[in-house]
Amino acid sequence: MNDLKKIPLHVAMIMDGNGRWAAAKGKDRVEGHIEGVRSIRVITEEAVKYGIRYVSFFAFSEENWARPEGEVSALMNLMLKSVQEEVETLVRNNVRFKAIGNRERLPLPLQTAIGDLEKMTEFNTALTMSVFLSYSGKWDISQAALKMAAAGDDDLEKYLSTRGMPDPDLIIRTSGEQRISNFLLWQAAYSEFVFTDTLWPDFREDGFRAALEEYAGRDRRYGKVNY
């Protein structure tokens, strides 16, 4: 399957369109989120097959806390259920799991389940799967700046929540929206972007392959000139 001339080291996903997918099918919004979890599983397994080393999913932003209380509660319960149920899949695929964001805002049972899953998969080596929960790029830079100042340091990047992880080579956003939505603001400085009209619950193998093919055809210059 890995026949592309260039494979990104790190692919990040802005998963958009769960609510619209559900509305189009006359379903509750939560059903869209449930189907979206299946897409996460598919894309993670595809990333392993392509030899991608890092895949990141923007699952819940700091701004999402302002959504209706019932939807937020349902999302937290779905995340807890997903974390508890994905152990076998992650272990089978040799995937390391990480959660990144302002975790103190998450319900305690979810915090505990995340910590347990991180420990169970910390020595897996095929792929690092990061789920961004209660995250925003502005929060990330702000907390890093505070830590840097307290340490009397001048290396902001060392204090970001993504420290130790390479910046994303490719960021994919689904559902037709073309914006970054406060995701990885510092880290995305030289990322390539692919925007697709496909809603996230429908984004599976073919859509991922198409995005990787588009990336493979890009010429990344990092501000320089290639002759």
Side-chain angles (χ1 to χ4, degrees), residues 79-201:
M79 290 174 192
L80 176 59
K81 184 171 183 278
S82 299
V83 166
Q84 293 171 332
E85 292 181 347
E86 290 305 308
V87 176
E88 182 181 345
T89 300
L90 296 178
V91 171
R92 183 177 68 250
N93 288 287
N94 195 22
V95 173
R96 181 186 181 192
F97 174 84
K98 292 183 65 176
I100 296 175
N102 188 2
R103 284 158 63 157
E104 292 181 358
R105 295 193 67 179
L106 300 174
L108 187 56
L110 180 54
Q111 292 185 43
T112 301
I114 285 171
D116 290 344
L117 185 54
E118 287 178 330
K119 289 178 182 177
M120 282 187 280
T121 62
E122 65 179 327
F123 298 113
N124 291 349
T125 58
L127 172 77
T128 296
M129 169 194 178
S130 298
V131 177
F132 287 70
L133 296 170
S134 191
Y135 175 88
S136 81
K138 290 181 178 180
W139 163 83
D140 198 4
I141 294 170
S142 176
Q143 63 86 29
L146 290 172
K147 290 178 181 177
M148 182 183 70
D153 200 352
D154 61 358
D155 184 1
L156 182 87
E157 197 161 10
K158 186 165 64 177
Y159 299 94
L160 292 170
S161 63
T162 55
R163 59 191 172 277
M165 178 189 301
D167 293 340
D169 301 294
L170 170 63
I171 297 178
I172 303 169
R173 179 164 188 153
T174 58
S175 87
E177 305 293 347
Q178 298 186 20
R179 57 179 180 270
I180 197 168
S181 293
N182 207 359
F183 182 49
L184 296 176
L185 298 180
W186 179 282
Q187 299 88 337
Y190 282 101
S191 300
E192 296 292 326
F193 285 81
V194 170
F195 300 104
T196 173
D197 291 334
T198 304
L199 301 177
W200 176 250

